[in-house]
Amino acid sequence: MKTRINTQIGFTLVELMITMTIAIILLTIGVPSLTNMYQQTRADKGLEQLEQAIILARSQAVSYQSIVSICPLSSIDMTCGNNWSNGYQVFSDNSDATRPDKVLKRVTDIPSDDFLSGSIAKISFDTKGHFVSANAVTFSYCPSSVDSSNTKSLSVDNRGNINPSSQVACDSN
């Protein structure tokens, strides 16, 4: 006499539906926090790129004993504009109008739904690494909207030192 052992291969429909329900509940809870984390990461990356450009401009000004500037890009061409969200460029700022400025770095990969704002339209460093203008500058990066809760800011004092800032709004110009 042979005994048959009934082995089950696979899942029953009930087990599959319970597993799917649990997965949907976990995704419903987890996705909003992932979006928030993604926006925080974008803001951190955006300000880190800007901070690197400021450090580059300051060090190039000191190293080559010339004025180096950072300005926002125009939306029409690659010249200086007034909207930091279009991107920005670091360039040697020659006072000689017959000699073109040399672009040292250009950043154009700011996502179209993010906002970057600065308190002035151009910052320049002199041969000592200090601002040509005496005022401090504040930059804010707002991922997805100008009133995002994940906004990050930094300020640059008149000596060129970079610090986190408490400003929490972007200008949507």
Side-chain angles (χ1 to χ4, degrees):
M1 180 162 84
K2 285 187 172 178
T3 50
R4 277 184 94 186
I5 299 174
N6 190 5
T7 58
Q8 180 182 5
I9 299 175
F11 299 104
T12 65
L13 183 58
V14 174
E15 290 172 331
L16 188 59
M17 289 180 68
I18 290 172
T19 304
M20 292 297 292
T21 303
I22 291 171
I24 289 171
I25 291 170
L26 290 175
L27 284 173
T28 303
I29 293 169
V31 168
S33 64
L34 289 175
T35 302
N36 189 40
M37 186 178 72
Y38 176 64
Q39 287 181 354
Q40 288 175 348
T41 303
R42 271 198 346 244
D44 288 339
K45 180 186 174 275
L47 280 184
E48 185 178 300
Q49 266 188 323
L50 179 61
E51 186 175 349
Q52 289 171 354
I54 293 168
I55 291 168
L56 172 70
R58 186 175 179 209
S59 67
Q60 292 293 310
V62 172
S63 296
Y64 294 106
Q65 294 293 294
S66 66
I67 294 177
V68 177
S69 300
I70 304 171
C71 72
L73 293 173
S74 167
S75 59
I76 300 168
D77 54 15
M78 291 298 185
T79 60
C80 288
N82 61 2
N83 187 349
W84 290 92
S85 295
N86 293 332
Y88 48 89
Q89 62 186 353
V90 178
F91 60 96
S92 61
D93 200 357
N94 301 317
S95 58
D96 183 2
T98 61
R99 203 171 75 210
D101 297 339
K102 180 182 178 188
V103 175
L104 304 171
K105 181 176 185 172
R106 184 173 286 142
V107 175
T108 58
D109 61 348
I110 297 172
S112 61
D113 58 341
D114 289 0
F115 298 91
L116 175 64
S117 65
S119 57
I120 60 175
K122 177 180 168 184
I123 58 174
S124 298
F125 292 96
D126 64 16
T127 58
K128 293 180 181 177
H130 299 164
F131 274 166
V132 172
S133 66
N135 299 331
V137 179
T138 303
F139 292 97
S140 294
Y141 193 99
C142 300
S144 300
S145 68
V146 292
D147 58 352
S148 171
S149 63
N150 295 309
T151 297
K152 305 275 181 151
S153 298
L154 63 82
S155 64
V156 186
D157 65 22
N158 59 352
R159 292 188 152 293
N161 299 319
I162 303 168
N163 299 302
S165 173
S166 60
Q167 179 178 343
V168 292
C170 283
D171 183 14
S172 62
N173 59 356

